[in-house]
Amino acid sequence: KQFEWLFNEISQAIFPLLDIQSFGPKKAYKLVNYFELKNPNTVIDDILNFAKNGKIENIPTFGKKNNELIKKIEDGLLKPLLS
């Protein structure tokens, strides 16, 4: 119960991203908040679409490196950690 308020404030869309290699909590949180993503069922596809359109590299502190990293997910080069 102590952390219930925290889970109410964090978008559930963050959690699917944490299951992907190279996605830590800071990166997941920043992407979900920047794009105001709410749906955990579509968040990975949403992020892939933003990467395809070059929108992630425009986020301060992200750049092309993270955009290319996310494109690797689509290419199947990065897999969920628990698959």
Side-chain angles (χ1 to χ4, degrees), residues 8-21:
N8 290 333
E9 290 188 23
I10 294 175
S11 171
Q12 296 299 303
I14 288 175
F15 297 109
L17 295 176
L18 296 176
D19 290 336
I20 298 174
Q21 291 173 350

Side-chain angles (χ1 to χ4, degrees), residues 27-81:
K27 188 179 294 185
Y29 181 81
K30 190 164 190 175
L31 286 169
V32 166
N33 281 324
Y34 187 85
F35 293 114
E36 298 179 358
L37 303 173
K38 304 286 184 221
N39 189 338
N41 297 319
T42 63
V43 68
I44 293 174
D45 289 333
D46 294 339
I47 294 296
L48 289 173
N49 286 328
F50 290 127
K52 280 185 197 176
N53 295 317
K55 294 184 178 185
I56 290 175
E57 62 191 57
N58 296 326
I59 300 173
T61 71
F62 264 69
K64 287 186 178 186
K65 182 178 177 184
N66 281 302
N67 201 57
E68 293 302 317
L69 175 75
I70 292 167
K71 286 180 183 178
K72 286 181 182 180
I73 297 167
E74 182 179 40
D75 295 339
L77 300 175
L78 293 176
K79 307 276 186 209
L81 293 172

